[in-house]
Amino acid sequence: MTQLSKEKSLAILRQMMVIRDFEETADKLCLRGKVPGGMHNSSGQEAVAVGVLSALAADDVIATTHRSHHHTLAKGFTPKSVMAELFAKSTGVSGGRGGSMHLAGVERGHFGGNGIVGAGVGIAMGAALGIQQLKDKKVAVGFVGDGGMNTGRTWEAINMAAIYKLPFIVICDNNQYAVETFVGRVTGGGDLAKRASGFGLPSFNINGQDVEEVLKYTSEARDRALAGEGPTFINAVTYRYYGHNVGEKGQYRTQEEIAEWRTSKDPIDYYTGVVLERKFATQQEIDDMRASVRKEIEEAVAFAESSPEPDISTITYGVDSGKLGVQL
């Protein structure tokens, strides 16, 4: 892949910073009771979300998982609208009716987060079928965690996509733990890409901490899909720094393991080094970027706190009106 421009590189770095600051801020607010119903923090997985969405067009479709804040922000939804949804406010992306696990904006190609394991793959596959039937020049991407790699609906969707050569990309946002279970303990054969390749589609295991590697493989998959060559499976190996959900008392991995990923494999630290090495920014400019991100997230929290709750008259919001959320 041709080296990214300075503008693109800085935009990618800033978007990863936005996601990290958003998640860590929301995590604390959740513990204070500001985010009803809990949430699933994606800190550490920013490069997968930003790398994938940076390779897509604005009208390409995504469907995702219960852990979907990072995908939604990378899709272009504002921190204000996502934070407001977490607060169950009417200005949220789903009008305050979806909450953390059901962020959506169908009119912008976001077919939603989903609490059913593996469901995002099936939903995105259906979108890809519709895209093919309409002869649209776009693709659908289904995100799934490693926990969805042993569910039937995931592979049924991949099988159908392969048969019909759908414009479809499956991204395994593989943070290596399905709640408390390490992927290596429950994956027959041990190689997710090899398993997917048995369905006759290009399949890759990649470094999900390197945003440019993620972007490269997704871009190539999109090109193949638009050329009529069918789906691609990408297993992007990443890591989540926090528990499966906020407040989890995790005893299934060591603090040393978490610290190793944070200190030597962090996607933001790595890409900051890339940007500095290419002389796209100085350290002071990086610091200024972090400060501007902090201000943006603080404004998002203030917006969410001051926004009104959904009116009772909107209880069927998105059904009768045909509109799934307020976009900012």
Side-chain angles (χ1 to χ4, degrees):
M1 184 178 69
T2 304
Q3 181 173 301
L4 300 180
S5 68
K6 173 182 176 179
E7 181 181 20
K8 182 76 168 179
S9 297
L10 293 177
I12 283 173
L13 178 59
R14 191 180 191 282
Q15 186 65 74
M16 289 197 292
M17 289 181 180
V18 165
I19 292 169
R20 177 70 58 84
D21 202 323
F22 181 98
E23 293 285 65
E24 299 202 334
T25 298
D27 192 287
K28 295 181 178 69
L29 291 167
C30 190
L31 291 172
R32 288 170 50 197
K34 293 283 190 177
V35 176
M39 58 166 272
H40 302 85
N41 192 326
S42 67
S43 293
Q45 300 178 222
E46 297 84 2
V48 178
V50 177
V52 171
L53 272 300
S54 294
L56 301 183
D59 62 347
D60 285 336
V61 171
I62 68 167
T64 178
T65 71
H66 60 280
R67 194 182 312 278
S68 63
H69 306 160
H70 55 325
H71 305 140
T72 305
L73 290 165
K75 178 69 168 155
F77 291 79
T78 66
K80 285 183 177 179
S81 63
V82 179
M83 188 69 77
E85 188 61 38
L86 267 58
F87 275 57
K89 297 298 184 71
S90 62
T91 52
V93 298
S94 300
R97 299 296 188 188
S100 172
M101 288 200 294
H102 301 97
L103 304 169
V106 173
E107 65 278 12
R108 290 175 59 184
H110 189 341
F111 281 26
N114 202 299
I116 299 173
V117 175
V121 178
I123 292 168
M125 184 277 293
L129 179 60
I131 289 167
Q132 185 186 72
Q133 292 295 311
L134 293 170
K135 297 182 172 22
D136 284 346
K137 296 298 289 183
K138 58 186 180 183
V139 306
V141 175
F143 286 97
V144 61
D146 51 285
M149 289 290 93
N150 293 308
T151 59
R153 65 177 62 87
T154 298
W155 298 107
E156 289 166 8
I158 289 172
N159 183 61
M160 186 169 176
I163 290 169
Y164 291 106
K165 291 190 177 298
L166 300 183
F168 183 46
I169 306 169
V170 179
I171 303 291
C172 182
D173 200 345
N174 184 356
N175 64 28
Q176 303 181 67
Y177 287 91
V179 189
E180 299 179 351
T181 305
F182 178 60
V183 62
R185 291 179 53 202
V186 293
T187 304
D191 188 328
L192 293 177
K194 185 176 181 180
R195 181 186 290 186
S197 69
F199 290 83
L201 66 160
S203 303
F204 306 94
N205 295 312
I206 69 169
N207 178 9
Q209 303 301 82
D210 183 341
V211 69
E212 290 192 0
E213 183 169 330
V214 177
L215 193 161
K216 172 183 180 293
Y217 277 87
T218 308
S219 294
E220 291 171 352
R222 185 176 189 273
D223 289 344
R224 285 193 294 271
L226 292 178
E229 297 175 16
T232 297
F233 176 88
I234 298 171
N235 174 42
V237 180
T238 181
Y239 196 81
R240 58 170 163 84
Y241 295 153
Y242 293 85
H244 170 68
N245 54 276
V246 172
E248 173 196 87
K249 184 180 180 181
Q251 297 178 307
Y252 51 91
R253 54 184 180 168
T254 66
Q255 291 302 308
E256 289 77 15
E257 178 183 301
I258 298 169
E260 180 184 358
W261 279 85
R262 270 191 177 273
T263 58
S264 64
K265 302 176 183 178
D266 183 81
I268 298 175
D269 287 349
Y270 169 74
Y271 203 61
T272 297
V274 170
V275 165
L276 290 170
E277 183 180 348
R278 293 177 182 168
K279 301 188 185 307
F280 286 168
T282 64
Q283 186 59 56
Q284 183 59 55
E285 289 169 333
I286 296 293
D287 293 342
D288 291 344
M289 181 185 290
R290 289 186 186 277
S292 74
V293 167
R294 177 87 288 267
K295 184 173 185 292
E296 184 176 358
I297 302 305
E298 288 173 350
E299 290 173 350
V301 174
F303 174 80
E305 289 185 318
S306 63
S307 291
E309 295 180 351
D311 188 88
I312 192 67
S313 66
T314 66
I315 195 69
T316 57
Y317 188 64
V319 177
D320 296 337
S321 68
K323 182 175 175 61
L324 283 177
V326 176
Q327 311 304 329
L328 301 178

